[in-house]
Amino acid sequence: VVTKRIVSETAFNEVAAFDPSEPETNMIHVYLKGTVEQCEAARDLVMEQIGIKVFSRLREVPTSSIPGDGDDNYGAYFEWTIGQANGIIEDD
């Protein structure tokens, strides 16, 4: 059980965005600021430090798919799918 949040919502919003902003199904796109290479390096650092792998495969963001006004430097994204078993994970 995770007993504390790793990042605040404000910190998350500085580096990532959900599309759609409120999930409508069990799958959501997560857009990340930075290049694919920068995001993979950050993922690897998190895995090394706390043992959590947030995503496996990143894709480069097509310019036409960037959320918001397109000026937020989103360079990578992944699809995040939540299965039925994830419903037992506590919020805190």
Side-chain angles (χ1 to χ4, degrees), residues 36-74:
V36 168
E37 294 78 16
Q38 290 168 329
C39 294
E40 287 174 337
R43 174 207 55 202
D44 294 346
L45 183 62
V46 169
M47 284 176 36
E48 183 179 306
Q49 290 182 352
I50 62 175
I52 295 174
K53 185 176 184 179
V54 178
F55 58 84
S56 294
R57 181 173 177 253
L58 283 179
R59 298 178 185 164
E60 187 173 335
V61 176
T63 306
S64 61
S65 300
I66 298 174
D69 59 15
D71 276 342
D72 292 320
N73 299 317
Y74 294 108

Side-chain angles (χ1 to χ4, degrees), residues 16-29:
F18 290 132
D19 184 33
S21 58
E22 300 235 352
E24 298 169 3
T25 66
N26 68 331
M27 193 277 294
I28 192 166
H29 289 115

Side-chain angles (χ1 to χ4, degrees), residues 5-24:
R5 295 191 186 275
I6 296 171
V7 296
S8 71
E9 185 175 340
T10 301
F12 176 85
N13 290 335
E14 291 177 11
V15 297
F18 290 132
D19 184 33
S21 58
E22 300 235 352
E24 298 169 3

